[in-house]
Amino acid sequence: MADDHVDLGRRGFLRGQRRAAPAPLRPPWSRADRFTDLCTRCGACAEACPEGIVRRGDGGFPEIDFRRGECSFCAACADACPEAVFDRAAARPWTLTARMAPSCLAMNRIVCRSCRDACPESAIRFALAPGGVAVPTVEDGACTGCGACLAACPADAVTLHPAETVHETVQAS
Ligand code: SF4
Ligand code: SF4
Ligand code: SF4
């Protein structure tokens, strides 16, 4: 994912565009604000993840790649970390929530319920939008940010965002 971000940012730079690449997604329970200060890039969290979704990203720092699978919130990454990167006492593992881009098949009048079917929390509902098209909406209170819907989407239309930035990122996409 980070490689894509770098390429996209470079392409944008070459075109004279100034939109910043999205911040990388860090493992659950990690202190995102101090991550690069605390993490020594040892790779233990990536090795420990049974889902294989933690990988080395930019600068060797671990990032979540939901294209590889979903987070089961097993906490193996946090348990494997020898540094003070993770805060298991945090109220939530992270604040990620899912959003669907306009490339969503259902939004383009093609029958698809793949994201809803993949969601273990039943957080995705299809509701009629203007024009009589049923489109997916995410119940933020129910979404855990597990990422299962991202890999399931055949149109690559699902992205995960920190809840506190979701409005600006969605508007910018
Ligand atoms: S909680 Fe478990 S599944 Fe999720 S990133 Fe950490 S090790 Fe992987
Ligand atoms: S185990 Fe901890 S210190 Fe090592 S790479 Fe992962 S987050 Fe960084
Ligand atoms: S991130 Fe997980 S909980 Fe949230 S909508 Fe997608 S599948 Fe459901």
Coordinates of all heavy atoms in Angstrom, one line a residue, residues 97-98 100 115 118-124 138 142-150 158 160, ligand 3:
T97 N -12.8 3.4 10.0 CA -14.1 3.1 9.6 C -14.1 3.0 8.0 O -13.3 3.7 7.4 CB -15.1 4.1 10.1 OG1 -16.5 3.6 9.9 CG2 -15.0 5.5 9.4
A98 N -15.0 2.3 7.5 CA -15.0 2.0 6.0 C -15.8 3.1 5.2 O -16.8 3.6 5.8 CB -15.5 0.6 5.7
M100 N -17.1 3.9 0.9 CA -17.1 3.4 -0.5 C -17.0 4.6 -1.4 O -17.7 5.6 -1.3 CB -18.5 2.7 -0.7 CG -18.6 1.3 -0.1 SD -18.8 1.5 1.7 CE -18.7 -0.3 2.2
C115 N -19.5 -6.4 -0.2 CA -19.0 -5.8 1.0 C -19.9 -6.2 2.2 O -19.5 -6.5 3.3 CB -18.9 -4.3 0.9 SG -20.4 -3.4 0.4
A118 N -19.5 -9.7 3.3 CA -18.2 -10.0 3.9 C -18.1 -9.4 5.3 O -17.2 -9.8 6.1 CB -17.0 -9.4 3.1
C119 N -19.0 -8.5 5.7 CA -18.9 -7.8 7.0 C -19.3 -8.6 8.1 O -20.5 -9.0 8.2 CB -19.7 -6.5 6.9 SG -19.6 -5.6 8.5
P120 N -18.4 -8.9 9.1 CA -18.8 -9.8 10.2 C -19.6 -9.0 11.2 O -20.2 -9.7 12.2 CB -17.4 -10.2 10.8 CG -16.5 -9.1 10.4 CD -17.0 -8.5 9.1
E121 N -19.7 -7.7 11.1 CA -20.5 -7.0 12.1 C -21.8 -6.5 11.6 O -22.5 -5.7 12.3 CB -19.6 -5.7 12.5 CG -18.2 -6.0 13.0 CD -18.2 -6.9 14.3 OE1 -19.2 -6.8 15.0 OE2 -17.3 -7.6 14.5
S122 N -22.2 -6.9 10.4 CA -23.4 -6.4 9.8 C -23.5 -4.9 9.8 O -24.6 -4.3 10.1 CB -24.7 -7.0 10.4 OG -24.6 -8.4 10.3
A123 N -22.4 -4.2 9.5 CA -22.3 -2.8 9.6 C -22.6 -2.1 8.3 O -22.7 -0.9 8.3 CB -20.9 -2.4 10.1
I124 N -22.8 -2.9 7.2 CA -23.1 -2.3 5.9 C -24.5 -2.6 5.6 O -25.0 -3.7 5.6 CB -22.1 -2.8 4.9 CG1 -20.7 -2.6 5.2 CG2 -22.5 -2.2 3.5 CD1 -19.7 -3.2 4.3
V138 N -22.3 2.7 5.6 CA -21.6 2.1 6.8 C -22.1 2.7 8.0 O -22.1 4.0 8.2 CB -20.1 2.3 6.7 CG1 -19.4 1.6 7.9 CG2 -19.6 1.6 5.4
A142 N -21.1 0.6 14.4 CA -21.0 -0.9 14.3 C -19.7 -1.3 13.6 O -19.2 -2.4 13.8 CB -22.1 -1.5 13.6
C143 N -19.1 -0.4 12.8 CA -17.9 -0.8 12.1 C -16.7 -0.8 13.0 O -16.4 0.1 13.7 CB -17.6 0.2 10.9 SG -16.1 0.0 10.0
T144 N -15.9 -1.9 13.0 CA -14.7 -2.1 13.8 C -13.5 -1.7 13.0 O -12.4 -1.7 13.6 CB -14.6 -3.5 14.3 OG1 -14.4 -4.4 13.1 CG2 -15.8 -4.0 15.1
G145 N -13.6 -1.4 11.7 CA -12.4 -1.2 10.9 C -11.6 -2.4 10.6 O -10.4 -2.3 10.3
C146 N -12.3 -3.6 10.6 CA -11.5 -4.8 10.4 C -11.0 -5.0 9.0 O -10.0 -5.7 8.8 CB -12.4 -6.0 10.7 SG -13.7 -6.3 9.5
G147 N -11.6 -4.3 8.0 CA -11.1 -4.3 6.7 C -11.6 -5.5 5.8 O -11.2 -5.6 4.6
A148 N -12.5 -6.3 6.3 CA -12.9 -7.5 5.5 C -13.6 -7.0 4.3 O -13.6 -7.7 3.2 CB -13.9 -8.3 6.4
C149 N -14.3 -5.9 4.3 CA -15.0 -5.4 3.1 C -14.1 -4.9 2.0 O -14.5 -5.0 0.8 CB -16.0 -4.3 3.5 SG -15.3 -3.0 4.5
L150 N -12.9 -4.5 2.4 CA -12.0 -3.9 1.4 C -11.6 -5.0 0.4 O -11.7 -4.8 -0.8 CB -10.8 -3.3 2.1 CG -9.8 -2.5 1.2 CD1 -9.2 -1.4 2.0 CD2 -8.7 -3.4 0.6
V158 N -13.5 0.3 -1.7 CA -13.6 0.5 -0.2 C -12.2 1.0 0.3 O -11.2 0.5 -0.1 CB -13.9 -0.8 0.5 CG1 -14.0 -0.6 2.0 CG2 -15.3 -1.4 0.0
L160 N -10.4 2.5 4.1 CA -10.5 2.6 5.5 C -9.9 3.9 6.0 O -8.8 4.2 5.6 CB -9.8 1.5 6.3 CG -10.6 0.1 6.4 CD1 -11.7 0.3 7.5 CD2 -11.2 -0.4 5.1
Ligands
SF4_3 S1 -14.4 -2.6 8.1 FE1 -15.1 -4.6 8.9 S2 -16.8 -4.0 10.3 FE2 -16.3 -2.1 9.0 S3 -17.8 -2.2 7.3 FE3 -15.9 -3.2 6.6 S4 -16.2 -5.4 7.1 FE4 -17.8 -4.3 8.3

